[in-house]
Amino acid sequence: MGIVSPGFQGRPRSQEPTLPPGQYLTEDFPVLSAGPTPRVSLDTWEFVISVENGTERRWSWQELMALPQETPTVDIHCVTRWSKLGTTWQGVSLDTLLDGVDTGAHYALAHSYGGYTTNVPLDDLRGGRAWVAHTFDGKPLAPEHGGPARLLVPHLYFWKSAKWVRGIRLKTMDQPGFWETAGYHDYGDPWREQRYQGD
Amino acid sequence: MTERAVAEGTERPAPNRWQVGRLVERRVETRSAQTLVLEVPDWPGHLPGQHVDLRLTAPDGYQAARSYSIAGPVVDGPAGPRIEVTVQRVPDGEVSPYLIDVFGVGDPVEVRGPLGGWFIWRPEQTAPVQLLGGGSGVVPLMAMIRARRVAGSKVPFRLLYSVRTPADLIYGDELRRRARDDFGLDVAYVYTREAPEGWRGEPHRIGLADVNTHGWPPDLEPLTYVCGPTGFVETVADLLVGLGHPSRRVKTERFGPTG
């Protein structure tokens, strides 16, 4: 426990749902990005998995839509401390996309239209825990929230859920991405409050 | 923006820990914003545009932390370094009303920082700078303007500041003074609800003509910093890209409903 702030009570807490430490509940959907919102045409959109041996698998928008779709309802947690509960998405599981990909890599670097990158251990993209999501709350995902498609990895802080995702590169060595290079934690578990390097 | 450009444009700070700072002074900026001067004995220094986390603890151990942009360079106090943050009251917020109404001079607060390695300006940079701020989004931009002055930088700066009414201008007096005294700094305003007497034009939300008139043209290859509420930043960043500014030279910081 830190030093007590004289006169600080905080919000009433009895009715608060269980949130990761340091998080508070929001009903809005805040937008946080490092630059302008990229506008990506569905005609040229693609998702590419590049394997460490140099092979690539790619899907067009139509091909992604033809894959089995899932509709996860998940809680999301932003490192800036808002959490949003029970959000509903539609997308394709990374299990589906990685099915048949022969790899010995342990790391993935997600990369986006616009140049954003973020690193995630490959195991964290498997086991029904990660999706390429294109629909939020029943509607096409808005550009400022990462549309046409974003990565959705809800068990990690939301900067790992790369907006405008374009693909993942499978890597044998971990390579920090955009925010990780700028001082954020390499893994980003909200329940362990892994916000910044050293947490 | 390539990965290489990202890596070169970012600062990888050393891990930092919570430490105890103390409020030594507060200044009223507007009816809803105040500047808090915090003495932080082990402050490691920072770059303009970085922010700090402040953490409060209730008697039962409950904690709430929020991020605030640092408003200017380190100030030397008699007992050590001081930093300034400007806090805008969020109605129904949990932290900002405490910091504005209850937090007293001499009171402790936990501080962590500096944080953020992207939305920063380095005084040794030479590209022209355009700053576009909405509401309290002016705070990290003011940190850049103040750092430019302290460093004696001659880099041309333009600030376009969108605000509801003249009474909502944060740092209004200082900006008037600096626009007069800091050679190479231009300051322009957009009023969205109520304009002061003598201001040319009607109150309006920021638009293409404002950005085009008061920004730098793309062929001067300026660095651009946009900070404000989400709608403001989305609008301005889209306009800048539409005017031909490459996305990788437009850095944005948005604030949502944090309290």
Side-chain angles (χ1 to χ4, degrees), chain A residues 70 72 92-97 120 124-133 151-155:
Chain A
E70 297 185 2
V92 176
S93 169
L94 262 293
D95 291 321
T96 302
L97 296 162
V120 185
D124 285 76
L125 298 180
R126 291 179 154 140
R129 294 192 292 169
W131 297 265
V132 171
L151 201 58
L152 177 65
V153 195
H155 69 283

Side-chain angles (χ1 to χ4, degrees), chain A residues 113-131:
Chain A
Y113 290 94
Y116 181 78
T117 54
T118 189
N119 56 327
V120 185
L122 185 54
D123 277 353
D124 285 76
L125 298 180
R126 291 179 154 140
R129 294 192 292 169
W131 297 265

Side-chain angles (χ1 to χ4, degrees), chain A residues 1-11 13 22 24 26 28 30-37 39 80-82 109 111 114-117 144 169 175-176 178-184 186 193 195-199, chain B residues 1 3 6 10-13 15-18 20 53 55-67 92-94 98 102 107-110 112 115 117-118 230 234 237-238 241 247 250-252 254 257-259:
Chain A
M1 169 166 155
I3 45 155
V4 171
S5 314
F8 178 68
Q9 298 297 328
R11 287 208 177 94
R13 291 183 283 285
Y24 65 89
T26 183
D28 300 322
V31 175
L32 294 155
S33 312
T37 295
R39 311 285 158 174
T80 64
R81 299 192 166 78
W82 57 264
L109 185 71
H111 59 102
Y116 181 78
T117 54
E144 65 267 30
R169 300 186 192 122
Q175 178 187 339
F178 177 86
W179 287 122
E180 295 83 11
T181 309
Y184 281 60
D186 267 337
E193 244 188 305
R195 299 176 188 278
Y196 311 117
Q197 280 167 40
D199 281 344
Chain B
M1 167 166 60
E3 276 168 58
V6 168
T10 53
E11 174 79 355
R12 194 175 184 119
N16 48 40
R17 294 275 161 227
W18 292 104
V20 178
D53 278 5
R55 183 163 74 179
L56 308 176
T57 303
D60 65 357
Y62 171 80
Q63 295 184 322
R66 297 289 185 275
S67 294
D92 304 322
E94 183 176 32
Y98 172 86
V102 184
D107 284 349
V109 62
E110 282 187 288
R112 190 177 183 189
L115 300 166
W118 173 244
T230 294
E234 283 293 313
D238 285 350
V241 171
S247 286
V250 178
K251 300 192 180 198
T252 63
R254 304 152 212 250
T258 53

Side-chain angles (χ1 to χ4, degrees), chain A residues 28-89:
Chain A
D28 300 322
F29 196 167
V31 175
L32 294 155
S33 312
T37 295
R39 311 285 158 174
V40 188
S41 163
L42 297 185
D43 297 335
T44 55
W45 184 92
E46 61 177 3
F47 184 79
V48 183
I49 295 179
S50 53
V51 186
E52 74 275 16
N53 63 14
T55 62
E56 289 186 341
R57 296 185 65 172
R58 57 185 68 223
W59 292 265
S60 69
W61 187 258
Q62 288 75 19
E63 287 165 342
L64 185 86
M65 292 299 153
L67 293 173
Q69 303 287 312
E70 297 185 2
T71 52
T73 296
V74 295
D75 302 339
I76 55 179
H77 311 289
C78 178
V79 70
T80 64
R81 299 192 166 78
W82 57 264
S83 288
K84 194 169 169 60
L85 304 184
T87 59
T88 303
W89 306 76

Side-chain angles (χ1 to χ4, degrees), chain B residues 77-89:
Chain B
R82 295 175 169 188
I83 58 168
E84 297 185 8
V85 297
T86 300
V87 178
Q88 174 91 35
R89 182 195 302 275

Side-chain angles (χ1 to χ4, degrees), chain B residues 197-216:
Chain B
E197 230 171 283
W199 190 65
R200 291 177 53 166
E202 293 295 310
H204 64 277
R205 287 188 180 275
I206 196 163
L208 179 62
D210 303 300
V211 175
N212 207 9
T213 304
H214 300 292
W216 297 109

